[in-house]
């Protein structure tokens, strides 16, 4: 479990994460939703030590992430950032090998090579390993970054808006892949999504943030209601049942 206690972050006068208490489970798919500026990325960045907090603690399976050696935390938790940038010159294979850095420090062990091969295979990148990152389509590039995170082989996999720029074919493919990671690899996948219908169909739990606070938290059946969604986004929603899933419509 990831235990987030009283995490607070301000920029000047603005408190963008406001005393958040949250437990993230050690398995399953957890989606974080909420309007732009709600503090979703800030919270994930703090949990993954990219950003310091003004107050509060984060523990991953009891390990205090702010006080523990970076490499110990990196063996438990990986993150795909919203603004992930990497030198365009590297190839897909090299990018995925980067994922092993916390384990290998640059020298790949046989175990590292196996993890890299398995991530490449799982993300269906076998034909692209020699290809420079900048020559990939958006969907391929996103899969390459996911493979890098998978190669790190952590129980907790955090992804900030991984569906960005993906068409529905690639978005659905990626969501199935992430669901599979939880189901067949026993991972805890925590991702920020804007498409609440993907969150509804693929998540075990949806956490909604607004103005730096958690305002909804529960299984899709509890969060995918017109009232709950309106409390998150401040607009009207219709929610319909479709093949056992709840779908929201919100186009006018
Ligand atoms: N480096 C920064 N300096 C000042 N304000 C920031 C900075 N980073 C984020 N913010 C502000 O914090 C708020 C939350 O941002 P963010 O966590 O990125 O929201 P979300 O990911 O939910 O869209 C926003 O109002 C944003 O403008
Ligand atoms: Mg964000």
């Amino acid at each position: 479990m990831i235990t987030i206690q009283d995490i607070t972050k301000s920029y000047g006068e603005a408190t963008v994460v406001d005393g958040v208490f949250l437990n993230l489970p050690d398995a399953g798919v957890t989606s974080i939703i909420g309007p732009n500026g709600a503090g979703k990325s800030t919270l994930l960045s703090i949990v993954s030590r990219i950003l310091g907090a003004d107050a509060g603690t984060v523990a991953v399976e009891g390990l205090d992430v702010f006080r523990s050696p970076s490499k110990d935390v990196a063996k438990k938790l990986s993150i795909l950032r919203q603004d992930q940038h990497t030198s365009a010159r590297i190839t897909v294979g090299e990018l995925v090998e980067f994922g092993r850095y916390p384990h290998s420090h640059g020298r790949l062990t046989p175990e590292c090579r196996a993890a890299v091969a398995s991530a490449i295979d799982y993300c269906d990148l076998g034909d692209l390993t020699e290809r420079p990152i900048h020559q990939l389509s958006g969907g391929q590039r996103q899969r390459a970054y996911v493979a890098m995170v998978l190669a790190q082989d952590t129980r907790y996999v955090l992804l900030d808006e991984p569906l960005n720029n993906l068409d529905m074919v690639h978005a659905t493919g990626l969501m199935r892949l992430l669901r599979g990671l939880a189901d067949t690899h026993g991972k805890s996948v925590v991702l920020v999504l804007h498409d609440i219908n993907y969150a509804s169909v693929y998540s075990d739990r949806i956490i909604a943030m607004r103005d730096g606070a958690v305002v909804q938290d529960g299984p899709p059946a509890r969060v995918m209601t017109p009232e709950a969604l309106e409390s998150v986004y401040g607009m009207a929603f219709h929610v319909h049942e479709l093949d056992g899933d709840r779908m929201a419509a919100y186009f006018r």
Side-chain angles (χ1 to χ4, degrees):
M1 191 161 74
I2 299 180
T3 311
I4 298 167
Q5 285 189 299
D6 207 16
I7 285 292
T8 299
K9 179 80 182 176
S10 300
Y11 291 106
E13 296 282 279
T15 300
V16 302
V17 177
D18 196 0
V20 167
F21 286 82
L22 203 55
N23 288 332
L24 299 173
D26 62 6
V29 175
T30 305
S31 293
I32 302 177
I33 65 167
N36 295 134
K40 305 177 299 295
S41 293
T42 303
L43 183 65
L44 278 200
S45 299
I46 291 169
V47 169
S48 54
R49 299 158 304 129
I50 294 164
L51 198 63
D54 297 333
T57 59
V58 177
V60 182
E61 291 169 352
L63 191 75
D64 180 335
V65 302
F66 302 142
R67 290 162 184 271
S68 304
S70 200
K71 69 173 182 359
D72 292 350
V73 181
K75 286 178 183 168
K76 291 184 180 290
L77 179 150
S78 55
I79 183 163
L80 180 60
R81 299 170 65 172
Q82 189 173 348
D83 54 354
Q84 191 86 41
H85 290 300
T86 308
S87 155
R89 291 187 173 275
I90 71 167
T91 64
V92 170
E94 289 163 344
L95 179 74
V96 180
E97 287 177 1
F98 265 157
R100 291 305 296 178
Y101 196 78
H103 302 270
S104 71
H105 299 283
R107 270 196 204 164
L108 295 182
T109 63
E111 189 189 352
C112 289
R113 294 195 189 286
V116 167
S118 148
I120 285 173
D121 184 48
Y122 195 72
C123 294
D124 199 15
L125 293 164
D127 296 337
L128 297 171
T129 52
E130 303 299 320
R131 189 86 72 84
I133 293 296
H134 73 279
Q135 288 179 15
L136 300 176
S137 72
Q140 291 168 333
R141 190 174 309 132
Q142 201 65 333
R143 284 212 312 279
Y145 282 119
V146 170
M148 174 186 74
V149 167
L150 291 191
Q152 199 174 324
D153 196 20
T154 57
R155 169 174 285 273
Y156 300 91
V157 180
L158 278 42
L159 306 105
D160 196 350
E161 297 194 31
L163 303 188
N164 257 358
N165 302 317
L166 299 189
D167 64 33
M168 65 220 358
V169 177
H170 292 92
T172 301
L174 185 54
M175 287 307 296
R176 291 169 70 128
L177 186 153
L178 295 174
R179 183 72 245 178
L181 275 183
D183 291 342
T184 59
H185 292 59
K187 306 234 181 238
S188 173
V189 177
V190 178
L191 74 169
V192 176
L193 288 178
H194 279 304
D195 190 324
I196 53 180
N197 290 325
Y198 274 120
S200 177
V201 171
Y202 284 95
S203 315
D204 302 300
R205 175 177 165 199
I206 300 176
I207 295 165
M209 290 185 70
R210 180 176 186 170
D211 297 333
V214 173
V215 292
Q216 298 287 338
D217 185 356
R222 183 129 45 91
V223 178
M224 293 294 289
T225 69
E227 298 75 25
L229 292 173
E230 186 169 348
S231 78
V232 179
Y233 292 100
M235 64 183 272
F237 288 82
H238 296 278
V239 176
H240 302 278
E241 192 99 6
L242 188 68
D243 296 336
D245 290 313
R246 292 197 180 203
M247 299 295 197
Y250 45 85
F251 298 105
R252 58 182 173 190

